[in-house]
Amino acid sequence: MHLRAAAINDLSGLGRCSLTADIAVLAAMGIEACPLPTAVLTAQTGYAGFRCVPFADHMESYRKHWQELGVSFQGILSGYLASPDTVRRTAEFVETFRRPGVTYLCDPVLGDNGRVYRGFTDASVEAMRSLALRADLLTPNLTEFCILTGTDMDAMQKLGETHPDELFAALARKAAFFKDTDTVITGIPFRNEEGRQMLCNLVLTQGTQVPVSFPHLGGTYSGTGDLFAAVLLGGRLQHRDLEASVRLAGTFISRGIESARRNHTPYNDGIDYESCLSLLLP
Ligand code: PXL
């Protein structure tokens, strides 16, 4: 069956993130990616001097035209939405194209490393929170999860150093805010029983919590959250279970980070995932 997903995200010329990541990953997984840009940037916002052309006013044309054409999608993915206007347009898009069996993955891109990305206001955070509540699948990193649920990030990080099981249980309780949404909290740092630094992707579905962990390879690379979300949606559209999809995404990203480290790739440039795309072939 031909699979098609709408990817609502920005187009950044540098940083191997957002639509660049979505299109590459979904295509490798045998899924047609239909890009709906939310903004066009010379480079992701971590680069000094980036330029940004807002695209909110054009998003309605995509929704209308695709509706006129009778296009349908099995999956919808949304990512970087820096203004409340782009969030509102995304919600309208989801309303229009959502049918039974369509999976909407919301990656609530807001920040990383305990900090909100440049350009986001309290109003954009509030708008993102209401969009997140509409998702079938939600993929916040730990920073974004703490922002969305009003959780103390420092306290969570400290708990991860000493009592990871308590940390995971505390996050699972907080995730009840998103009720019927399957949530994967990505990039949770913790120290395992052997004293090794790890990163956990905590899979939270209907009262169950499954940690899917990988060694912490260090560094914060651009675009890893975008790649993760795209692999997860692709995996679900291919009818893999959620945990298997999370494992695939984690393995793909770990390989890309290993390659980036070998090549001394700067964090802003994103990971060297291109050579790892074969891992995703259906
Ligand atoms: O990868 C997240 C992301 C997406 N899009 C833009 C960004 C960032 C993170 O900085 O700046 C434009």
Side-chain angles (χ1 to χ4, degrees):
M1 179 194 174
H2 179 73
L3 294 173
R4 183 187 287 134
I8 307 172
N9 220 331
D10 70 277
L11 185 62
S12 283
L14 297 173
R16 289 192 274 202
C17 60
S18 322
L19 282 178
T20 309
D22 297 337
I23 296 167
V25 163
L26 291 169
M29 298 181 86
I31 298 162
E32 177 188 352
C34 303
L36 195 174
T38 58
V40 179
L41 294 91
T42 54
Q44 53 93 348
T45 60
Y47 289 88
F50 73 88
R51 323 278 205 269
C52 177
V53 179
F55 224 65
D57 291 348
H58 305 286
M59 291 175 69
E60 175 64 0
S61 300
Y62 281 77
R63 190 189 67 82
K64 274 214 176 113
H65 188 206
W66 291 356
Q67 189 180 31
E68 282 160 22
L69 294 172
V71 180
S72 59
F73 304 98
Q74 288 77 36
I76 302 172
L77 182 160
S78 70
Y80 180 85
L81 308 167
S83 68
D85 223 20
T86 51
V87 177
R88 187 169 55 81
R89 301 284 185 197
T90 300
E92 285 164 5
F93 184 96
V94 172
E95 280 311 305
T96 304
F97 291 99
R98 190 177 233 174
R99 309 258 181 287
V102 175
T103 302
Y104 168 44
L105 184 155
C106 176
D107 182 19
V109 175
L110 292 170
D112 205 356
N113 272 329
R115 300 225 313 260
V116 175
Y117 293 132
R118 264 175 249 186
F120 284 85
T121 61
D122 287 351
S124 17
V125 171
E126 189 47 52
M128 188 66 93
R129 189 177 289 119
S130 65
L131 185 66
L133 285 165
R134 298 165 182 251
D136 301 301
L137 196 47
L138 188 65
T139 56
N141 61 32
L142 182 61
T143 301
E144 291 158 347
F145 183 80
C146 288
I147 294 170
L148 289 171
T149 57
T151 305
D152 180 346
M153 169 103 180
D154 286 344
M156 293 296 117
Q157 278 181 324
K158 283 196 188 113
L159 209 50
E161 277 295 305
T162 52
H163 297 89
D165 288 346
E166 283 179 28
L167 166 65
F168 301 153
L171 292 172
R173 280 193 299 277
K174 286 279 185 177
F177 178 73
F178 295 107
K179 288 189 219 103
D180 301 327
T181 305
D182 289 345
T183 301
V184 182
I185 308 174
T186 63
I188 307 166
F190 74 100
R191 195 181 290 278
N192 71 7
E193 282 163 0
E194 289 97 53
R196 192 157 183 210
Q197 281 296 340
M198 306 289 287
L199 280 183
C200 170
N201 303 296
L202 188 61
V203 182
L204 300 164
T205 50
Q206 290 157 0
T208 67
Q209 64 182 69
V210 179
V212 178
S213 302
F214 294 86
H216 193 347
L217 301 173
T220 306
Y221 288 91
S222 164
T224 50
D226 305 326
L227 291 163
F228 187 93
V231 177
L232 209 57
L233 180 65
R236 296 300 282 144
L237 296 186
Q238 292 170 337
H239 301 294
R240 288 178 205 247
D241 71 30
L242 187 54
E243 197 183 318
S245 303
V246 169
R247 269 184 217 292
L248 178 64
T251 304
F252 172 64
I253 289 166
S254 298
R255 295 279 175 82
I257 293 177
E258 282 161 11
S259 175
R261 288 175 72 90
R262 275 196 304 276
N263 296 331
H264 305 289
T265 304
Y267 295 148
N268 261 341
D269 292 359
I271 64 173
D272 297 2
Y273 68 79
E274 295 85 350
S275 55
C276 310
L277 285 168
S278 59
L279 287 174
L280 304 178
L281 295 178

